[in-house]
Amino acid sequence: MTTTSPSKGIFDSANIEARERVVELLAKAYWMEMETAMSYTAASVNLDGVRAQEIKESLAEDVTEELGHAQRFAERIKELYGVVPGSEQFSPEQSYLQPPDEQTDIVHVIRGVIKAETGAIEHYTRIIEETEGVDPVTQDMMIEVLHDEQGHRRLFEGFLREYEVEGIAAGRVLDGGAAQ
Ligand SMILES: [Fe+2]
Ligand SMILES: [Fe+2]
C-alpha cells in the first residue's frame, strides 16, 4: 500500500523551482512599482501650467497606490521564503519617464505613464499565467493589482485622447486663421 502526503502547493518540496521562479518574477514586479513611484513623484511635482494640474493630482494619488503594490509584492516574496531585494539591486528601466525638456510637456508624461502601465500589465499578466495551477494566492493578488493598472492606463489613455483632440482642434483654428 502506498501512502501519499497531501500537496502543499507552492510550498511543496516538489515545487521548489516553481517557488523560486515566482519570487524572481515578484522581485521584478517590486522594482517596477518602485521605479514607477519615483517617476510619478517627480512628474507630479515637475509639471507646469494650469492644464497640468489634473495630471499632477492624479499622479500624486497613484504614487501611494503604486507603493502599496510594491509592499504587497514584498510581503508575498517573504511568504514564499524569498528575501526582498536591497536598493543596490535596483537598475532603472524607465528611460521614457525622465523629465521632459520643457516642464509644460504634459503629453510626454502622459505617454510615459501609458508605457509604464502597459509594461506592468504585460509583466503581471505573465505572472498570472505562470502561477496558474501552482500558486493561486500570488495569482489572486496579481489579478487585483492588474485590475488597478488597467484602470490607470485607461485613465491616462483618456487624458491623451483629450490632448490629441484638442491638438487637432487647435490646428483647425490656426488653418482657418491663415485662410482669412
Ligand atoms: Fe502598480
Ligand atoms: Fe499603475
Side-chain angles (χ1 to χ4, degrees):
M1 195 176 109
T2 52
T3 51
T4 50
S5 55
S7 172
K8 294 185 283 292
I10 193 68
F11 294 108
D12 208 288
S13 54
N15 281 330
I16 287 174
E17 267 180 39
R19 194 170 71 232
E20 285 172 350
R21 176 87 188 118
V22 174
V23 166
E24 218 174 89
L25 292 166
L26 283 172
K28 181 175 163 61
Y30 171 80
W31 286 129
M32 288 171 90
E33 295 290 348
M34 285 300 199
E35 188 172 15
T36 296
M38 280 194 267
S39 297
Y40 289 8
T41 298
S44 74
V45 173
N46 282 339
L47 282 177
D48 270 331
V50 276
R51 287 156 57 95
Q53 206 51 41
E54 193 172 356
I55 308 289
K56 291 170 74 169
E57 282 168 18
S58 181
L59 285 170
E61 275 174 29
D62 279 355
V63 169
T64 315
E65 209 173 324
E66 309 297 12
L67 280 175
H69 293 158
Q71 287 174 315
R72 289 184 73 176
F73 297 163
E75 288 288 345
R76 189 60 187 156
I77 287 169
K78 187 180 172 78
E79 285 166 4
L80 292 172
Y81 298 105
V83 175
V84 183
S87 57
E88 283 186 344
Q89 302 285 311
F90 176 69
S91 52
E93 289 181 356
Q94 294 179 350
S95 53
Y96 50 87
L97 258 179
Q98 302 310 297
D101 296 335
E102 291 293 335
Q103 300 313 313
T104 49
D105 189 354
I106 301 164
V107 170
H108 167 89
V109 172
I110 295 174
R111 286 192 204 280
V113 169
I114 292 171
K115 195 161 180 181
E117 298 294 340
T118 300
I121 287 167
E122 285 170 0
H123 186 57
Y124 302 171
T125 300
R126 183 174 165 199
I127 296 179
I128 289 164
E129 285 166 3
E130 291 207 22
T131 49
E132 173 66 30
V134 187
D135 183 358
V137 174
T138 297
Q139 191 182 46
D140 250 27
M141 174 185 71
M142 295 314 299
I143 289 169
E144 278 179 32
V145 176
L146 177 64
H147 191 184
D148 290 344
E149 312 303 10
Q150 288 176 346
H152 294 162
R153 184 171 68 173
R154 183 65 190 88
L155 180 68
F156 277 77
E157 280 175 350
F159 290 144
L160 184 62
R161 184 94 192 92
E162 190 184 350
Y163 277 87
E164 283 172 349
V165 168
E166 280 179 20
I168 291 163
R172 281 193 188 131
V173 169
L174 283 176
D175 287 348
Q180 279 172 2

